[in-house]
Amino acid sequence: MDVIPLSQGELRWVFPEAAEPDAVRDALSEADAQVTALARHLGAPAGRAGEGLAFHRVEGFVLAGVFGSTEAEGVGFSASLSFPRRCLWEPRWGPPWEVEAEVAVQCDQVAECGGHTLAERSRTFSTPIGAARGLVEATAWLLERGTTEPLLSWRAREDARCSVVTG
């Protein structure tokens, strides 16, 4: 997968007909700054490109979305704004656009488990500016969770959850 930082990508990959492209780009930049701030707070890299939000390209096809994440001590914080497609080359575009954010923890108790989502939120939007502002809200939600609750607290919830499942 190729990862293209927000600053180097094209807004039209997600919103080919955005009526307010500058406002959409400004909102995405704000969300990008929040993901970067969370990564900095955690002392971890932001996303796969080492930056906040990024576009992803798989086998030459750009996924219809922007994605941001950071992870420290097995606790991952991720957000995405995307148009769901049935396959990579499907020509349809939004609306709707989905904005999702989650806090997930790697499972150390059960080898084949992988991990668990401990907190999440999801909303659907019908306009590009609404979706971009929704991503700002989602990344603010992640930033608050990542800066107000210690990583060990998230890990403790995961340990308790897995001990119930395996016990």
Side-chain angles (χ1 to χ4, degrees), residues 10 21 32 44 51 55 65 67 73-74 79 84 94 100 105-107 113 117 122 126 133 135-136 144-145 155 157 167:
E10 293 287 335
D32 179 71
E51 297 188 25
F55 300 96
F67 308 89
E73 299 180 34
E100 299 177 330
V105 179
Q106 292 176 354
C107 179
C113 177
T117 299
S122 176
S126 60
R133 288 181 180 148
L135 187 61
V136 171
E144 179 185 0
R145 267 131 202 86
R155 296 290 318 162
R157 281 194 240 168

Side-chain angles (χ1 to χ4, degrees), residues 6 22-37 52-53 132-133 135-140 143:
L6 180 67
D22 291 338
V24 171
R25 176 135 334 251
D26 289 347
L28 293 179
S29 294
E30 185 177 346
D32 179 71
Q34 292 179 147
V35 171
T36 302
L53 295 179
R133 288 181 180 148
L135 187 61
V136 171
E137 291 173 10
T139 56
L143 180 60

Side-chain angles (χ1 to χ4, degrees), residues 78 100-104 117-122 141-142 145 154:
S78 63
E100 299 177 330
E102 73 173 22
V103 180
T117 299
L118 298 181
E120 63 186 324
R121 63 184 286 170
S122 176
W141 179 82
L142 286 175
R145 267 131 202 86
W154 293 105

Side-chain angles (χ1 to χ4, degrees), residues 71-76 104-109 114-115 118 149-162:
E71 181 180 333
E73 299 180 34
V75 181
V105 179
Q106 292 176 354
C107 179
D108 295 332
Q109 305 292 320
L118 298 181
E149 188 164 345
L151 293 174
L152 290 177
S153 173
W154 293 105
R155 296 290 318 162
R157 281 194 240 168
E158 173 59 16
D159 291 343
R161 178 183 225 169
C162 272

